[in-house]
Amino acid sequence: MIITKPKLSLEGQIEHLKKKGVLFNIMNEESAKEYLTQHNNYFKLTAYRKNYDKHPDGENKGKYINLEFAYLVDLAVIDMRLRYRIVHMALDIEHHTKLQLLRMMDKFNEDGYKIVQDYLDYLGKTQRKICDSEISRNRGNIYCGDIVDKYDGAYPIWAFIEIIPFGRLVDFYDFCAERFADKEMKNNFYRLLTCKEIRNASAHSNCILNNLKSGTIAHKTNSAVTNELMTIPNMNSNFRKNRMSNARIQQLVTLFYMHRTMVESDGIKKSESEEIQKVMKRIDRNYDYYSTNPMIKGTFDFLKMVVDNWFKTV
């Protein structure tokens, strides 16, 4: 193995950032060293540099334009708080997805066992093996191992949905959508797939806001999400399209939409609205940091418009 980028000492990290044009006017070098020692690591923090342009030519060619170390720290803090909300909202969505499946089972007079067995039989050989492995990993688990042992292969839906991971739940949801010929469930399935990506990234503490450039989406935004965005007052069409062409923002807004439409508990809605509004207020704390970066500023303005309209607090 050839090591092309050797590990830098703390002092080396600061010097490397300075060579790249990162400034220490707001947060001095000593404070930066303390931050990198106690609060975050160099590799993760510097990922947010992707949101800043470099000088194309001249004596500063290759150096970042107007990038303070403090800006990276602020983005990291906002990102952390946003990830916490994403995970929490995803848990709410997962819970209400399960509730919807149980309601549909009752609506179509399913006994609860056959639908699971039919799903397992529907899976191809490889997927069936993966699913069995997912369930087997829970044997001996202090939280749900007793469910696996109790039913041991003959799982009713109310037990099955408690012992499978979120990705499997989404796939099972798709199977049920086809079984019940429910168009809205099918649309929810595609939106849940989008939610799963940002949920998994957040659960693994991956950065969310470290690449806000437009034109990174792999597929069009779900039409229901787009239609809902179009109802937001003063939401400029070009502004919406530009911001939603970023894959991360597309996933985040889709998750917001699913929480808004799938979660039926007024208490949960109120609580989450209050919490996500706190994240928006945290953005406002150092809002002036982004006055010269239209990409970040535009993204934050867009998110605040969505949150203010979809998650109103009383």
Side-chain angles (χ1 to χ4, degrees), residues 53-65:
D53 293 328
K54 295 179 180 179
H55 290 280
D57 48 39
E59 62 178 334
N60 292 316
K61 182 180 179 180
K63 291 185 177 182
Y64 290 99
I65 303 172

Side-chain angles (χ1 to χ4, degrees), residues 117-124 171 174-175:
Q117 190 57 55
D118 287 349
Y119 169 71
L120 294 174
D121 292 342
Y122 152 83
L123 294 175
D171 190 63
D174 182 41
F175 173 83

Side-chain angles (χ1 to χ4, degrees), residues 73-118:
V73 172
D74 196 61
L75 280 172
V77 173
I78 294 169
D79 201 340
M80 175 192 69
R81 296 195 177 192
L82 184 61
R83 289 196 305 270
Y84 290 167
R85 299 287 18 111
I86 290 169
V87 172
H88 201 287
M89 294 174 90
L91 288 172
D92 292 340
I93 292 168
E94 180 176 3
H95 176 68
H96 283 267
T97 297
K98 293 176 180 179
L99 289 178
Q100 187 183 93
L101 285 173
L102 294 177
R103 287 195 299 269
M104 294 300 287
M105 179 196 69
D106 290 338
K107 179 180 177 180
F108 287 90
N109 297 314
E110 294 274 359
D111 65 8
Y113 286 84
K114 190 174 188 302
I115 191 170
V116 175
Q117 190 57 55
D118 287 349

Side-chain angles (χ1 to χ4, degrees), residues 117-173:
Q117 190 57 55
D118 287 349
Y119 169 71
L120 294 174
D121 292 342
Y122 152 83
L123 294 175
K125 184 178 180 180
T126 300
Q127 277 299 314
R128 176 60 186 271
K129 187 176 180 179
I130 293 173
C131 183
D132 289 343
S133 178
E134 290 168 348
I135 294 172
S136 293
R137 285 199 294 267
N138 283 321
R139 291 188 185 277
N141 184 297
I142 62 173
Y143 299 106
C144 58
D146 57 335
I147 300 176
V148 179
D149 293 337
K150 180 177 180 179
Y151 294 98
D152 197 23
Y155 306 108
I157 187 173
W158 53 86
F160 184 66
I161 59 179
E162 297 301 328
I163 59 175
I164 55 176
F166 185 64
R168 180 63 56 189
L169 176 68
V170 173
D171 190 63
F172 179 60
Y173 186 93

Side-chain angles (χ1 to χ4, degrees), residues 4-62:
T4 57
K5 293 186 177 181
K7 180 177 178 290
L8 294 173
S9 65
L10 194 58
E11 289 73 17
Q13 292 171 5
I14 298 298
E15 286 304 312
H16 184 72
L17 288 173
K18 288 167 67 177
K19 288 180 181 178
K20 289 292 184 178
V22 177
L23 307 171
F24 294 85
N25 297 316
I26 301 173
M27 199 170 190
N28 63 35
E29 292 179 31
E30 287 306 311
S31 297
K33 290 177 183 178
E34 180 183 0
Y35 178 82
L36 290 172
T37 301
Q38 299 183 12
H39 301 285
N40 208 340
N41 67 74
Y42 176 84
F43 181 78
K44 193 163 192 175
L45 183 72
T46 55
Y48 300 100
R49 292 183 297 177
K50 292 180 182 178
N51 292 320
Y52 288 85
D53 293 328
K54 295 179 180 179
H55 290 280
D57 48 39
E59 62 178 334
N60 292 316
K61 182 180 179 180

